[in-house]
Amino acid sequence: MKKLIPAYIRVPLIFFTVFGAMEYFIDSGDHPAFIKYPMVSVFLFVFLFLLIAIEVTISAVDAISYQLMTEEQRAKLEDAKSLSLSDIPFIKWFMGLMIKSKPVESEGELLLDHDYDGIKELDNDLPPWWVYLFYACIVFAVVYLVRFEIMGGDNQEMEYQKEVAAAKIAIEEYKKTAPDVMDESKVTLLTDATEISKGKTIFMEKCVACHRPDAGGNIGPNLTDDHWILGGGIKNVFHTISNGGRDGKGMIAWQKNGLKPTQIQQVASYVLSLQGSNPKDGKAAEGDVWVDPTASKTPATSAVSVPDVVTPTKK
């Protein structure tokens, strides 16, 4: 029996099906798998070669078998080759149900009396498939009208907006409990001894080269006094460690260089715990005295007015 799909269609179809499956299942990032992984290209080449070889072999076997057939067998083979999909009983029945067309020989029964310059008209009914599709469109239109115009159903844009809003709520809920989601707007000063100890460990590993083990300052400023170049307090210190110091000569941005937000919170809290420790031979103060703007002010007890912030000479 003649193959339903010719070899010149079958071979590319099988090859590109395998090719697409490999590209889909192999994670190769932004590059195609056959470019990123040379072994994939080798496999595809060998697979295509074998596929062609199999087709050639089958064709050769068919040719030899045909030569060995008797005239009667060849006649039966030719009859089998003339079969098509429309000869399959189920397909034949289905097409007749959907089309219900009459053979050309019976068209005389359908002729109408109309005659336009020798052109006559057939009284054919609409094909059933067209009628069914027309009724389906009417049903769909009624359902659509009731669902979206009468009952106020969400259209695609509204569904998208609701999904985005739900996703934002889910993200915010996740941030409330996620251990490594921290930023300067919600960071708090840690006072627990265990957290401070973790911050000290990070400080000794990352910060002593510039600030000395006692935080007295070396290349970087003294971290034990009340002067700050980029602002004091947990939020400012967290921001400085995360995003780096002054351009060109300040500290690197540790959030991009290996420290997680919770680790930055720990080391910032440890640094602030060293306030007033006054290490020996500490570096001279730099920057301005920082006073927490949210702290309550103590009422003055004398007639002399004392300013809240003392601004020293910049270093």
Side-chain angles (χ1 to χ4, degrees):
M1 182 177 180
K2 182 181 178 181
K3 297 181 179 65
L4 295 178
I5 305 177
Y8 61 85
I9 296 178
R10 185 169 57 253
V11 171
L13 182 64
I14 296 175
F15 175 77
F16 284 108
T17 299
V18 174
F19 175 82
M22 296 186 71
E23 289 292 337
Y24 179 79
F25 288 106
I26 298 177
D27 184 9
S28 57
D30 298 332
H31 302 284
F34 74 95
I35 294 178
K36 186 171 183 180
Y37 303 110
M39 289 304 299
V40 174
S41 300
V42 173
F43 171 81
L44 291 173
F45 176 79
V46 173
F47 178 76
L48 180 60
F49 175 80
L50 292 176
L51 199 59
I52 296 174
I54 291 172
E55 290 293 338
V56 171
T57 303
I58 293 175
S59 299
V61 171
D62 288 344
I64 296 173
S65 299
Y66 186 81
Q67 295 296 327
L68 298 176
M69 288 180 181
T70 63
E71 291 297 331
E72 183 180 355
Q73 290 174 331
R74 291 180 181 178
K76 291 182 179 179
L77 181 61
E78 294 299 329
D79 291 339
K81 286 182 178 180
S82 63
L83 295 176
S84 62
L85 287 175
S86 60
D87 295 320
I88 298 175
F90 173 77
I91 296 180
K92 189 174 183 179
W93 168 82
F94 181 78
M95 294 298 293
L97 181 64
M98 291 291 103
I99 298 176
K100 285 188 177 179
S101 60
K102 289 190 176 183
V104 176
E105 295 80 7
S106 305
E107 283 188 350
E109 304 172 4
L110 302 174
L111 285 175
L112 297 175
D113 295 334
H114 304 161
D115 191 334
Y116 303 96
D117 294 333
I119 300 175
K120 297 183 179 181
E121 184 180 358
L122 294 177
D123 188 19
N124 276 320
D125 294 331
L126 289 171
W129 68 264
W130 192 96
V131 176
Y132 298 152
L133 183 61
F134 178 71
Y135 290 152
C137 290
I138 294 175
V139 173
F140 176 83
V142 172
V143 173
Y144 186 94
L145 179 66
V146 173
R147 175 70 177 86
F148 294 102
E149 301 299 331
I150 298 178
M151 300 181 63
D154 295 338
N155 56 25
Q156 291 181 332
E157 182 180 1
M158 184 60 68
E159 289 178 353
Y160 171 76
Q161 292 175 354
K162 286 186 176 181
E163 289 178 1
V164 170
K168 289 181 178 179
I169 294 175
I171 291 173
E172 293 302 321
E173 290 297 323
Y174 171 76
K175 287 181 177 180
K176 292 178 181 178
T177 57
D180 284 328
V181 178
M182 181 72 64
D183 57 41
E184 60 193 84
S185 64
K186 58 184 178 182
V187 66
T188 57
L189 180 66
L190 300 174
T191 57
D192 181 72
T194 302
E195 299 294 335
I196 297 298
S197 177
K198 292 178 181 179
K200 180 178 179 180
T201 301
I202 299 171
F203 183 89
M204 293 299 174
E205 179 183 350
K206 306 288 187 182
C207 310
V208 295
C210 296
H211 297 286
R212 294 185 359 189
D214 58 7
N218 186 9
I219 300 174
N222 188 338
L223 301 178
T224 63
D225 55 37
D226 56 356
H227 291 66
W228 296 91
I229 298 173
L230 298 175
I234 185 63
K235 296 184 183 298
N236 289 322
V237 176
F238 180 92
H239 174 84
T240 303
I241 298 174
S242 298
N243 299 284
R246 294 165 291 178
D247 294 337
K249 58 180 179 179
M251 179 176 59
I252 63 174
W254 281 106
Q255 191 169 5
K256 299 179 181 178
N257 289 273
L259 287 185
K260 298 179 179 179
T262 50
Q263 292 177 313
I264 296 175
Q265 182 187 27
Q266 291 166 351
V267 70
S269 298
Y270 170 72
V271 168
L272 292 175
S273 72
L274 300 176
Q275 293 292 283
S277 58
N278 298 321
K280 184 179 179 181
D281 300 326
K283 193 175 181 180
E286 299 178 77
D288 301 329
V289 173
W290 185 85
V291 176
D292 188 353
T294 63
S296 58
K297 300 180 180 180
T298 304
T301 56
S302 64
V304 179
S305 176
V306 180
D308 292 330
V309 178
V310 179
T311 305
T313 304
K314 297 282 185 75
K315 301 296 183 186

